[in-house]
Amino acid sequence: MAQVKLYGRRSAWEARRREVSDAVHAALVAAWGLPDDKRFHRFLLLDDEDVVAPRAPEYLVVEVVCFTGRSPAAVRALIAAFFDDVAPALGLAADDLEVVILESPPTHWGIRGVAGDELSLPYRVDV
């Protein structure tokens, strides 16, 4: 299980949401084996004056919220995929992309009417 929050300037990313979503999801599928049809992305696009950062206008922050259980190697593989694949696909310099992976126990999630640890998933979250 993974949900993605994408923060950036509306002026830079509004028209490119599908492109961003496709690149991010491809990284999650390749690095963690998420199913193609399990895409949960939220764009939190801000007015230019609401993003205060010494970066390019295309500066993008990606938060991946997921169950605990992935190995440090799997987490590093996803981060590498963002910088090796996602950033170039979107024309971003490494300085203009930040990735945060936030993990919480499945018991702290409520999905489809049950706690996450009671959920039966057709894919692994402990890679």
Side-chain angles (χ1 to χ4, degrees):
M1 188 68 194
Q3 294 191 4
V4 179
K5 293 187 258 181
L6 300 126
Y7 299 89
R9 288 181 173 86
R10 181 173 287 109
S11 62
W13 297 110
E14 187 167 38
R16 298 180 67 190
R17 284 180 290 197
R18 186 60 184 195
E19 176 186 3
V20 173
S21 182
D22 287 348
V24 166
H25 194 61
L28 284 160
V29 169
W32 283 2
L34 262 62
D36 284 328
D37 64 340
K38 297 296 181 189
R39 185 185 303 215
F40 297 95
H41 298 176
R42 294 184 301 276
F43 283 83
L44 303 155
L45 301 179
L46 305 164
D47 293 333
D48 287 356
E49 60 272 8
D50 292 330
V51 178
V52 180
R55 301 285 186 258
E58 295 80 19
Y59 174 66
L60 186 66
V61 177
V62 180
E63 282 184 12
V64 178
V65 183
C66 58
F67 288 169
T68 54
R70 290 178 176 86
S71 69
V75 171
R76 289 181 185 277
L78 181 60
I79 290 171
F82 271 97
F83 289 103
D84 294 344
D85 303 325
V86 176
L90 300 177
L92 290 173
D95 283 351
D96 294 324
L97 176 64
E98 291 191 17
V99 180
V100 179
I101 299 172
L102 304 171
E103 297 179 308
S104 64
T107 55
H108 294 192
W109 291 61
I111 303 169
R112 297 185 216 140
V114 297
D117 65 332
E118 299 169 357
L119 189 64
S120 176
L121 295 172
Y123 55 93
R124 294 183 58 190
V125 298
D126 60 348
V127 295

